[in-house]
Amino acid sequence: MVILATVRGIPQLYYGSEIGMAGDQYLGDADIRQDFPGGWEGDANNAFKPKGRTKGQKEYFDFTSKLFQWRKTKAVIHYGKTTHYIPEDNIYVYFRYNEAESVMVVINNNIESRTFPTARFNENLENYTKGKFIFDTTVLDLKVDITVEGKGFLILELEA
């Protein structure tokens, strides 16, 4: 979801992704294209409504909603340029930027947390000292190494 929400173009979500639905591609299309829970009279579970979602579905929905609400307000994501860096140690970093804003996206595909040096990204970080995580009030110092949780991500709005 993080990549879909922060790269160029119009994001296309497969229905059910917003509540964490998943199928097994090796079991065929029928497993991937399961019915979305709810919407029909008599359905036991209706994930179209908040009270009908499981705890896991609610977590996926809340995450997806917050991510794409943020995206909606960001011209830098819609129209900005992109700089990609070759992944190292299963950590992928790219920047979206324009004349007014810059966003750093970090994705850790390792199971364990990883720390990486920010100096590698000086080309995009030279005018910035802090990065504010979009989901809470966390502010990271961009002049020191950064740690990312296993299978985690950071979307940082950069500040001088």
Side-chain angles (χ1 to χ4, degrees), residues 61-71 134-136:
F61 185 86
D62 290 348
F63 173 81
T64 304
S65 179
K66 191 168 189 175
L67 178 63
F68 283 95
Q69 288 298 322
W70 169 82
R71 181 189 193 283
I134 67 162
F135 284 109
D136 60 32

Side-chain angles (χ1 to χ4, degrees), residues 1-124:
M1 285 294 182
V2 169
I3 291 173
L4 283 174
T6 58
V7 296
R8 288 186 57 224
I10 299 169
Q12 304 225 353
L13 300 181
Y14 200 69
Y15 70 85
S17 295
E18 71 275 19
I19 61 164
M21 284 180 66
D24 185 339
Q25 67 180 354
Y26 300 106
L27 296 177
D29 256 5
D31 195 68
I32 296 172
R33 298 176 188 273
Q34 297 172 25
D35 289 338
F36 193 94
W40 301 100
E41 193 173 316
D43 281 350
N45 182 11
N46 185 358
F48 285 103
K49 305 216 182 251
K51 66 180 182 178
R53 296 182 194 126
T54 66
K55 181 180 180 212
Q57 289 171 339
K58 180 183 180 335
E59 288 173 6
Y60 269 95
F61 185 86
D62 290 348
F63 173 81
T64 304
S65 179
K66 191 168 189 175
L67 178 63
F68 283 95
Q69 288 298 322
W70 169 82
R71 181 189 193 283
K72 212 165 50 168
T73 67
K74 291 294 167 186
V76 67
I77 300 299
H78 295 279
Y79 308 109
K81 295 178 181 180
T82 305
T83 300
H84 295 269
Y85 287 84
I86 295 172
E88 284 188 3
D89 191 26
N90 267 340
I91 297 175
Y92 178 40
V93 177
Y94 58 95
F95 291 80
R96 298 300 311 275
Y97 59 95
N98 60 22
E99 305 77 33
E101 295 179 276
S102 189
V103 173
M104 179 182 191
V105 180
V106 181
I107 298 171
N108 178 8
N109 199 34
N110 295 290
I111 294 170
E112 305 86 18
S113 294
R114 289 287 196 271
T115 300
F116 65 94
T118 57
R120 179 175 176 232
F121 312 106
N122 280 344
E123 177 184 349
N124 288 91

